[in-house]
Amino acid sequence: MRPRRRICSSDGRSFEIPAEPVDVVSTHGAGDTFTGQFAASLLFGNSFEDCCREATRAAAQHVAGSGPSPSG
């Protein structure tokens, strides 16, 4: 899969974050991973742009793994 990018926008400014090239195993849970990492980064006081970078990196690592694990 060809690397893509994420465009983030806040307070009238936007910036582009290049996606990390990974071999995608499963996209299940990628949005949850992005959102969770973004929220955690924001709680640690990081800038909006840094939150987007960290969340994009976390989602890329997630899709390169096995996706969500079955519970139980």
Side-chain angles (χ1 to χ4, degrees), residues 26-50:
S26 173
T27 60
H28 293 307
D32 293 337
T33 300
F34 180 91
T35 302
Q37 181 61 47
F38 183 92
S41 185
L42 194 60
L43 287 172
F44 277 102
N46 293 321
S47 70
F48 184 80
E49 187 170 351
D50 287 342

Side-chain angles (χ1 to χ4, degrees), residues 23-29 60-70:
D23 292 325
V24 176
V25 174
S26 173
T27 60
H28 293 307
Q61 291 171 356
H62 178 80
V63 300
S66 59
S69 300

